[in-house]
Amino acid sequence: MFMHNKNLMYTVRVSEPDPKLAALMLEQFGGPQGELAAAMRYFTQGIADEDPGRKDMLIDIATEELSHLEVIGSIVAMLTKGVKGKLAEAAEETTDLLANITQGNGSHTLSLLYGGGPALTNSAGQLWNAGYIDSIGEPTADLRSNIAAEARAKIIYERLINVTPDPGVKEALGFLMTREVAHQKMFEKALYSIDNNFPPGKMPGMPQYTDKYYNMSQGDGDARGPWNQGEQWEFVDVAFGQGPVSGGEGKPTVRLAAEELAAVEQTAARTKSRTDVNPVTGADLGAGPGAGKTTTTAGKV
Amino acid sequence: MFMHNKNLMYTVRVSEPDPKLAALMLEQFGGPQGELAAAMRYFTQGIADEDPGRKDMLIDIATEELSHLEVIGSIVAMLTKGVKGKLAEAAEETTDLLANITQGNGSHTLSLLYGGGPALTNSAGQLWNAGYIDSIGEPTADLRSNIAAEARAKIIYERLINVTPDPGVKEALGFLMTREVAHQKMFEKALYSIDNNFPPGKMPGMPQYTDKYYNMSQGDGDARGPWNQGEQWEFVDVAFGQGPVSGGEGKPTVRLAAEELAAVEQTAARTKSRTDVNPVTGADLGAGPGAGKTTTTAGKV
Amino acid sequence: MFMHNKNLMYTVRVSEPDPKLAALMLEQFGGPQGELAAAMRYFTQGIADEDPGRKDMLIDIATEELSHLEVIGSIVAMLTKGVKGKLAEAAEETTDLLANITQGNGSHTLSLLYGGGPALTNSAGQLWNAGYIDSIGEPTADLRSNIAAEARAKIIYERLINVTPDPGVKEALGFLMTREVAHQKMFEKALYSIDNNFPPGKMPGMPQYTDKYYNMSQGDGDARGPWNQGEQWEFVDVAFGQGPVSGGEGKPTVRLAAEELAAVEQTAARTKSRTDVNPVTGADLGAGPGAGKTTTTAGKV
Amino acid sequence: MFMHNKNLMYTVRVSEPDPKLAALMLEQFGGPQGELAAAMRYFTQGIADEDPGRKDMLIDIATEELSHLEVIGSIVAMLTKGVKGKLAEAAEETTDLLANITQGNGSHTLSLLYGGGPALTNSAGQLWNAGYIDSIGEPTADLRSNIAAEARAKIIYERLINVTPDPGVKEALGFLMTREVAHQKMFEKALYSIDNNFPPGKMPGMPQYTDKYYNMSQGDGDARGPWNQGEQWEFVDVAFGQGPVSGGEGKPTVRLAAEELAAVEQTAARTKSRTDVNPVTGADLGAGPGAGKTTTTAGKV
Amino acid sequence: MFMHNKNLMYTVRVSEPDPKLAALMLEQFGGPQGELAAAMRYFTQGIADEDPGRKDMLIDIATEELSHLEVIGSIVAMLTKGVKGKLAEAAEETTDLLANITQGNGSHTLSLLYGGGPALTNSAGQLWNAGYIDSIGEPTADLRSNIAAEARAKIIYERLINVTPDPGVKEALGFLMTREVAHQKMFEKALYSIDNNFPPGKMPGMPQYTDKYYNMSQGDGDARGPWNQGEQWEFVDVAFGQGPVSGGEGKPTVRLAAEELAAVEQTAARTKSRTDVNPVTGADLGAGPGAGKTTTTAGKV
Amino acid sequence: MFMHNKNLMYTVRVSEPDPKLAALMLEQFGGPQGELAAAMRYFTQGIADEDPGRKDMLIDIATEELSHLEVIGSIVAMLTKGVKGKLAEAAEETTDLLANITQGNGSHTLSLLYGGGPALTNSAGQLWNAGYIDSIGEPTADLRSNIAAEARAKIIYERLINVTPDPGVKEALGFLMTREVAHQKMFEKALYSIDNNFPPGKMPGMPQYTDKYYNMSQGDGDARGPWNQGEQWEFVDVAFGQGPVSGGEGKPTVRLAAEELAAVEQTAARTKSRTDVNPVTGADLGAGPGAGKTTTTAGKV
């Protein structure tokens, strides 16, 4: 059961309204690396996890992320407070209002559609969707997803800090960024508390394909490093035109029943390309009467 | 520049058509953990990376994932080959055809809408969207995202293998699963080849918040583990009702210009809730004449 | 700041695992009328509302909806617990597992992709998106949206109850349904606590168009009722072919600068339809040589 | 059957092209509160409604909304007519054209991608999706959704009017806004023409939970009003840490079959967190050799 | 201005309710090749087209497609009429109801979420989105898009007819299918009424690249046909490893200002991969103590 | 199997970084008419096509489009290289950085969220989704879709060229545009190589509806042209209010079983609109005590 304490987790002090900056902040409210995605990622995992310690940690952090969502949402609300009132009350000349909300980067949509309240979109107005959440219900994968998600969120906060002139906003972003670092450390500890967490899951790989590095991109720029050299790797230069790495004929096959085969052949006959004609085409028609060489028609029309 | 070798990377041998199984396989063609998402994740990173070795590796693996996309797509095409022909040529009684495509789990949509060709949807028919790709252009985050993505893809293949009765499909899935393990190892090597890759990015955390574990979820089930105990952690029991962890008043503030304040106050006055009345409401009206106690109207209407 | 109490708001007692029923329950976890949409609708409004009483209510209810999200998510987790373990550990014959997860209605995706954890999708696997949230930052509109949202959620719970055989699930759904009724009453009270809440917002309508009912759909089935009869309505039978209700020429106009006009005319000339020819078309070509009457070509090619 | 009268419902007179203003107008063409969403909301309800009067009204209004869609689309087409021609014919210097389409707020996408025609996106370029439509096929809910939708649409028009300097556009927006007010009144009449429309649907609530107000958000800012005080409410201060409001153990339970339990236990064992070690983690490795205190490894590696 | 005639364009006579068939029919109501997409494709084009004849045709057909949308929606409403009533009134035993709505292919979602009314989703429950509409405001492209869209819609109707046992539904689908054929012919005529409609638009291609066919996919299966042989084509076998077809160095370049270069170099240094070490990785840690050969650590930790 | 040659297909030479121009270029990287959509359209068709020549062509072109994706992605990477480094390293004053990334049209999101790497969004930040791909597995439809897609892509490149001042970018765009023309010609040849490709598919139309042109939009602007005049067309002026074109009663019908009918009637009774009252509504309440004429209440409350 969730409860709410009316104090923010972090005291937000914004210097002055700035709808343009507000729109940037949405990146961490309703963006892919934002706080709702974080909270829901851990919450959906925590509900279904059987391990008591990990479950506790996941819900602790999910709850903290909801508290962060409130912090960043409150920043947005403060930054838009000025324009919100003016727009609702038509407190300015129309042209001033228009200029005010169309300074750039999405602040017009934030003002017009969402009335200055924090919206579950990113800074470009893209609606949040649950495709941002990559929980799959296997801790040896999910914890790695969480580690990565925290790393990404840390970077987005770092970038926002780099472009934010308002000292109060900057400080709050610093807090939020720091907590992502702390969360990443927690998830790392939880992952490595699972014995034999690599490879993830239960099933071992096929030994003949586990240690091969296939050089699929070739030319000036080919390079070697610990990811494809050393005793644990077999480096394979794939030759263009070679057969499958599995051997075999390199074409997909399936056994069809007789009536299936008949139907397939019927389709093939109906949609067969004739290679013995050079048909006049719509493009030929469209190119106009003087289009010349491409219209050498065959006997088709 | 990409090139295509007409041999598959892995020879696919499907026993017989099975549209129901085909629909499951879409999970790795157009699903969130599937091969297109993988290929595009690494490709978008590789194009913009400045480090020559990492760039080479990213493009190598992106290219391999495109080759995997072709393998899984070919499996789908083989599994649907029977129903595709029959549907196109109306080669069966209508009721048999109907039964054939509505056996369950999305095979009807695969047949009707996509004509049996592999579609960029997951097994539930959800359209692939680029929200599945989490590249952000910072290697210390992106490599962690890649590690996690490979772990997830490995698990989805493992689950598909567990439910696939066709031995040829099972074997091809085994190859694809194994390569995800190999890729994860490569990305791990690449991440740890970057000195000081933690915390990701450049900016250090605020020291006072880096090592705290906030116990936000409390009650029977609270637990301790390496993620919140030991010398590197300060475990903080957050009390319900306490002030912000940052100190301060716990409310967001912003300084408004006079005309902004006037507009805000005007909105507040216009939309003020009266707490001194108990108004009749639409629900009261809707509850009907005998609805009783809730309709104690005040002087509002 | 949010906190979490490890007790559920409502004790969930599920009789036995049932992945098919679990998939239905997702409708209220990650569906459009589900608990996340509810929580986020009220939370985004509450953060930006200036009225202290309404703000308090919005956050109270948002917090309760998060607690409901946990209840419905826990129901899903219990209903999938059986298949989840079997799939992860391959604890059954492949064909039994396949049959188990493809009983119908999305349970295959829930199992394969989400590993049996509650997912932010509806019962068809459609990813949750923030387009479900209709908050616009004006209380006289938002409260009406909330009233409607609670009414919808109530109905979806009612339908789920009607199809749920498990008594423990049924009871928990009854609780959740009832709370939607209670919330609707709260939002009704809050709406009617605002004086002059109709029309919503500030600007009055144009008097000549406020009370007209335009009969745009005509024929057998035309009907009258309180929505278009009585002294407050002017019923207008729109005649097919009549001019605009505003008067005027009925065509959109704009004044173009000379160089704009020139460019528009240039485009018009370039893409002009000739009405003096009967051109051969691609369809004519495609219809084959004996297609007859449609190929009366003009002098175009 | 729909028919089209070549006269607009309202004569649109635009002063001069303005692609920036055009982009704002898209909010009501392809935005969530726009005319397509309105038309489709009522149309999908009307098709399936059994009540003759309500069905007639729904189709009347749906048809009018399609006519509004044409009005707002024509405004967009007029506002973009200048840039459209110039871009298609390259009628200006490249740099002037570039400046022209990148004045801000989405006009670049409207020009480049949609060629200046009205697009089914909102003012930020977000594609319209059917998640905006909340029809659920129960009139006591759907009519409330319609009332709310009209209220929201009214507000968006009001905001657009407040920022529109063009008098012809302003006037047309005034007409459209006014009609939303009229429609809201119609839907209100239709809702209250249904006896006992509250609670919506058929099933009564559980009496013990119908009148309780749970105070879930606590602290400085707690407030009382008609939504939680008065004889119809029981105000419940939820204590942090208390048990479920339903009583019971507060944990979800399910009865597993023996082989299900075995599989669950196997998963739990495989993914168990060890709490007796402090493992070296990836973050520890990444922090570099001098990272100090966090690397107190246990016997794990 | 749109008007509505209460007669359907085509009289729909459904034999008996069948929710499973209803779900399939959604493909043409809210699917990508369905009637809403068609209507909106032509409507958005027609509003902005300057050519009077083409504009008239586009609006004629858009209006007809709206009338088709009503026909297919009415089919869905008839097919779901039985289950809709039962679900709303709980007129059956719970288990019968559950069985009734979970027969397969999306009918559960249609019943539970949409209450049996036609929904703007495809047959898999995927929400309609405006990405299905490809209008770009240039008639020489848009008319080709329309031709293709009609061809696709024709095929989907053909497939639906092939699986529909109900004779009344089959007949109505036949009408709808036939009209797509007629529309395709109209759009073909309109396209070829534009002189010099190929290449589309205004700008000619670069002559050196207009007639080349690049053989990018090579091996067993290479083929020739009118699309790559004959006098109008130059067939180019691209050699793997060759330079760019444009000549030049084959690498992207940009001139950076000094401070830009400095920043890029700083990033490169910070995120440099060391190729002289074989670092211990997270995967190595996770593989457990006996994992052997992969853990040959270098001096990194 | 795909392979990658480290040379670009076309040598890209960008003059100087320009994040604003980069954002426009995204239209062809991750936009609906962009290169990923093209590659995936042909690739999904090619995998399942049975005709050897057409299959070869589809994969050849799909592979070339992937190579184009790399070209346009490299342009984006070059154009953002400057701001990317500065943002990552905070190499400028905060206010300069802020100004730099918020010049307009999406460059802020490209910088903040994607770190300057090419992103699979369009120029407005809309995430790419597979709804852009219209492959349906029938060559007589798919080839027409491909022809149309190439025509659209050609136009978008033409528009980008018209607004691009950078000569190196302009030249590369010219190459990409030209190849779309060449591809269109290839697909035209392939379509017309299929005998009797019109109507698409197998089933003939119903003769009575194949050649009719329904004049559904009427009034000043009605026009005639080759699409509705000439011997192959029967021009039908649809009268407003007429019956269905099919004859019959113009209403949808279905036969219900007795218990279905009972349930439907029960719903109808429960949700019946009373037309004999003029109920007080929520709007009446909200309009305030002096709202006058609309509150003539009937005996309802």
Side-chain angles (χ1 to χ4, degrees), chain C residues 5 11 14 60 89 136 145 152 154 159 178-179 185 200 203 206 211-213 217 242 247 253 267, chain D residues 5 11 14 60 89 136 145 152 154 159 178-179 185 200 203 206 211-213 217 242 247 253 267:
Chain C
N5 167 353
T11 298
V14 176
D60 275 328
E89 307 306 317
I136 62 166
S145 296
R152 292 192 303 269
K154 194 270 181 185
R159 291 176 182 161
T178 301
R179 295 305 297 160
K185 292 199 301 184
M203 198 177 283
M206 294 161 86
D211 296 319
K212 287 202 173 62
Y213 183 96
S217 168
Q242 76 165 53
T253 52
T267 306
Chain D
N5 167 353
T11 298
V14 176
D60 275 328
E89 307 306 315
I136 62 165
S145 296
R152 294 192 300 271
K154 194 269 181 184
R159 291 175 183 162
T178 301
R179 294 305 297 160
K185 291 198 302 183
M203 198 176 283
M206 295 161 85
D211 296 319
K212 287 201 173 63
Y213 183 96
S217 167
Q242 76 165 52
T253 52
T267 306

Side-chain angles (χ1 to χ4, degrees), chain C residues 188-205:
Chain C
E188 295 263 6
K189 288 293 176 191
L191 173 62
Y192 294 100
S193 299
I194 302 174
D195 283 343
N196 302 314
N197 61 65
F198 182 84
K202 187 174 181 188
M203 198 177 283

Side-chain angles (χ1 to χ4, degrees), chain A residues 189, chain B residues 231-232, chain D residues 278 280 283-284 287-297:
Chain A
K189 287 293 177 191
Chain B
E231 60 183 281
Q232 77 268 50
Chain D
N278 186 3
V280 173
D284 295 338
K293 70 171 177 176
T294 58
T295 52
T296 29
T297 20

Side-chain angles (χ1 to χ4, degrees), chain A residues 60 154 185 203 211 213, chain B residues 60 154 185 203 211 213:
Chain A
D60 275 329
K154 194 270 180 184
K185 291 198 301 183
M203 197 177 284
D211 296 319
Y213 183 96
Chain B
D60 276 328
K154 194 270 180 184
K185 292 198 301 184
M203 198 176 282
D211 296 319
Y213 183 97

Side-chain angles (χ1 to χ4, degrees), chain B residues 165-225:
Chain B
D166 184 310
V169 176
K170 210 174 185 111
E171 191 195 289
L173 294 173
F175 167 74
L176 296 169
M177 181 192 80
T178 301
R179 294 304 298 161
E180 312 300 24
V181 176
H183 294 163
Q184 182 178 345
K185 292 198 301 184
M186 296 169 199
F187 290 126
E188 296 263 4
K189 287 293 177 190
L191 173 62
Y192 294 101
S193 299
I194 302 174
D195 282 343
N196 302 313
N197 61 66
F198 181 84
K202 188 174 180 188
M203 198 176 282
M206 294 161 86
Q208 66 272 42
Y209 302 119
T210 306
D211 296 319
K212 287 201 173 63
Y213 183 97
Y214 293 118
N215 185 21
M216 310 289 286
S217 169
Q218 300 178 5
D220 177 23
D222 260 351
R224 304 298 291 267

Side-chain angles (χ1 to χ4, degrees), chain D residues 97-118:
Chain D
L97 267 174
L98 182 60
N100 209 338
I101 69 164
T102 54
Q103 299 172 36
N105 66 275
S107 61
H108 63 288
T109 304
L110 184 55
S111 299
L112 279 178
L113 180 56
Y114 301 110

